């Protein structure tokens, strides 16, 4: 077990890794609010570079042309009002869009809410777009470049193997059966391989793991040290716990007109964050662990003999019979 299965004759080392990621894909949307619009990598990959991670926006709530001023707050049980006395000047709650002015103003023809000093109009995120705004994101691709190093053995390699040429790299898409070493992954396939539905996940977002395993036996040729890819969803999808699901965040794009008036477009981005997790270990023959495990094995054989004697001579029903056979009693002739 120790020598053959656990390779007790080898010294081992843990992997040191670096990852770079590049996403590609273009999609078209056509809505009454935005009209026809092309979305490319600069629009949906936020931020452009992260460490071992890439976020791809799949759904969005846009609030364009916001300016600082006075406007009605979104209606809820704390902001709806009937008269001015219902609003407290300077009041700010955790979910406020701004600071209350103390005025009660019409939100629409039937509802009044407390007025706030904020970026106006305030964001309305009560209704998430379904289906997802960027449905075609499942056809986007991500190129994962991974370099690994085992410092004990001064062994390094990358997941773009020496057998891969530029022509193959331009046309291949990872498939566990036909292209298991292609480093280009279709986003929809990643989610599908983890047992999830991409279009469902795209609505509110989530977190996926792309795992790269580098378990290498360096007693064999370096060509046998290859990556193995696997996929899983990291955020919990539990139908019994639906509070604050998925993954989203906000950011804004700011502008100034010719008069110096500042405005912004507020973006609430929903999407899938892909975490690249690299792990593994390498082993190579070394005299020291070999001798240690041989010595440990011999010591265990000695302990086994003692344990067997204890069981046979003191625990079994025929212990007296076995004791007579094991020991020979002699008389003292003196």
């Amino acid at each position: 077990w120790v020598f053959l299965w656990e390779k007790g004759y080898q010294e081992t080392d843990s992997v040191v890794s670096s990852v770079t990621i590049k996403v590609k894909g273009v999609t078209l949307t056509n809505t009454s609010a935005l009209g026809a619009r092309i979305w490319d990598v600069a629009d949906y990959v936020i931020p452009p570079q992260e460490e071992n991670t890439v976020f791809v926006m799949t759904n969005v709530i846009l609030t364009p042309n916001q300016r600082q001023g006075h406007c009605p707050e979104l209606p809820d049980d704390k902001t709806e009002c009937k008269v001015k006395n219902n609003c407290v000047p300077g009041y700010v709650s955790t979910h406020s869009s701004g600071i209350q002015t103390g005025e009660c103003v019409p939100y629409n023809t039937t509802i009044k809410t407390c007025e706030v000093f904020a970026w106006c109009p305030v964001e309305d995120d009560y209704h998430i777009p379904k289906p997802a705004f960027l449905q075609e994101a499942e056809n986007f691709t991500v190129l994962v470049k991974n370099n690994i190093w085992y410092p004990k053995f001064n062994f390094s390699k990358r997941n773009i193997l020496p057998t891969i040429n530029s022509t193959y790299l331009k046309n291949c898409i990872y498939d566990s059966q036909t292209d298991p070493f292609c480093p280009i992954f279709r986003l929809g396939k990643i989610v599908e391989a983890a047992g999830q539905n991409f279009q469902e996940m795209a609505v509110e977002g989530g977190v996926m793991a792309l795992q790269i395993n580098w378990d290498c036996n360096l007693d064999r040729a370096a060509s046998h040290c290859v990556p193995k890819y696997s996929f899983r969803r990291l955020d919990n999808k539990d139908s019994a716990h639906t509070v604050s699901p998925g993954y989203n965040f906000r950011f804004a794009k700011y502008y100034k007109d010719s008069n110096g008036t500042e405005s912004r477009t507020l973006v609430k981005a929903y999407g899938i964050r892909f975490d690249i997790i690299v792990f593994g270990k390498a082993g190579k023959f070394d005299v020291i662990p070999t001798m240690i495990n041989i010595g440990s094995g011999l010591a265990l054989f000695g302990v086994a003999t003692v344990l067997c004697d204890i069981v046979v001579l003191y625990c079994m029903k025929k212990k007296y019979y076995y004791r007579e056979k094991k020991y020979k009693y002699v008389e003292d002739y003196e």
Side-chain angles (χ1 to χ4, degrees):
W1 174 266
V2 171
F3 272 80
L4 297 180
W5 187 257
E6 296 293 336
K7 295 183 175 63
Y9 54 86
Q10 291 184 335
E11 184 179 13
T12 60
D13 192 15
S14 297
V15 69
V16 178
S17 167
S18 70
V19 174
T20 57
I21 307 164
K22 182 183 291 185
V23 181
K24 287 189 177 181
V26 176
T27 187
L28 170 69
T29 61
N30 194 351
T31 63
S32 57
L34 296 176
R37 177 169 177 171
I38 288 290
W39 298 76
D40 61 15
V41 175
D43 296 311
Y44 59 74
V45 176
I46 310 159
Q49 289 293 322
E50 285 190 274
E51 185 178 355
N52 299 343
T53 297
V54 63
F55 173 83
V56 177
M57 185 174 69
T58 55
N59 208 0
V60 64
I61 295 175
L62 292 173
T63 310
N65 301 319
Q66 283 188 323
R67 290 180 171 85
Q68 291 202 7
H70 297 85
C71 54
E73 178 66 282
L74 280 180
D76 61 26
D77 56 348
K78 293 185 178 180
T79 62
E80 290 186 18
C81 60
K82 299 293 185 182
V83 294
K84 180 176 179 179
N85 292 339
N86 297 143
C87 303
V88 181
Y91 174 76
V92 180
S93 72
T94 305
H95 302 289
S96 293
S97 301
I99 301 174
Q100 289 190 13
T101 63
E103 298 293 328
C104 182
V105 296
Y107 178 79
N108 54 33
T109 56
T110 59
I111 299 174
K112 285 186 174 183
T113 61
C114 294
E115 185 183 64
V116 291
F117 178 64
W119 285 95
C120 298
V122 297
E123 179 191 63
D124 182 0
D125 63 347
Y126 286 161
H127 303 288
I128 303 173
K130 291 183 182 180
F133 195 67
L134 299 181
Q135 299 177 61
E136 294 300 316
E138 67 176 326
N139 295 317
F140 297 166
T141 59
V142 56
L143 167 64
V144 178
K145 293 191 284 185
N146 175 215
N147 291 71
I148 59 107
W149 177 44
Y150 288 106
K152 274 189 182 179
F153 312 120
N154 196 27
F155 177 85
S156 59
K157 200 166 186 178
R158 65 176 186 157
N159 66 327
I160 303 178
L161 303 178
T163 55
I164 294 177
N165 57 38
S166 58
T167 302
Y168 174 78
L169 194 62
K170 287 180 180 179
N171 298 285
C172 76
I173 297 291
Y174 171 85
D175 185 276
S176 59
Q177 301 299 322
T178 59
D179 294 279
F181 302 121
C182 178
I184 299 177
F185 303 86
R186 183 172 167 267
L187 301 189
K189 284 286 187 180
I190 294 176
V191 176
E192 181 185 330
Q196 304 292 316
N197 182 291
F198 186 91
Q199 292 301 333
E200 289 181 3
M201 193 175 182
V203 173
E204 295 182 312
V207 183
M208 290 292 307
L210 192 161
Q211 301 171 123
I212 308 177
N213 184 9
W214 288 92
D215 281 343
C216 299
N217 183 356
L218 298 183
D219 289 330
R220 304 174 68 186
S223 58
H224 290 92
C225 181
V226 293
K228 294 180 181 178
Y229 301 100
S230 59
F231 316 93
R232 63 169 297 172
R233 184 171 181 172
L234 296 180
D235 64 316
N236 292 326
K237 183 189 177 185
D238 188 350
S239 58
H241 298 85
T242 57
V243 177
S244 189
Y247 182 55
N248 65 79
F249 58 89
R250 292 176 176 85
F251 66 96
K253 298 179 180 179
Y254 293 86
Y255 312 93
K256 274 190 177 181
D257 61 19
S258 57
N259 297 323
T261 303
E262 187 179 37
S263 64
R264 74 177 188 180
T265 297
L266 179 64
V267 181
K268 184 175 184 181
Y270 298 82
I272 304 175
R273 192 183 77 195
F274 294 89
D275 292 345
I276 315 302
I277 302 173
V278 183
F279 59 97
K281 65 177 182 178
K284 193 173 185 179
F285 173 79
D286 191 85
V287 174
I288 294 175
T290 302
M291 297 306 297
I292 290 174
N293 283 304
I294 289 174
S296 300
L298 293 174
L300 286 174
F301 280 126
V303 172
T305 303
V306 174
L307 291 176
C308 288
D309 282 348
I310 291 173
V311 172
V312 169
L313 298 177
Y314 297 99
C315 300
M316 298 187 69
K317 291 182 178 179
K318 295 184 179 182
K319 56 187 176 182
Y320 300 107
Y321 172 77
Y322 293 128
R323 191 176 296 169
E324 288 178 0
K325 295 298 181 182
K326 181 173 178 65
Y327 299 110
K328 183 175 182 180
Y329 297 95
V330 296
E331 296 179 358
D332 187 350
Y333 289 101
E334 293 180 359

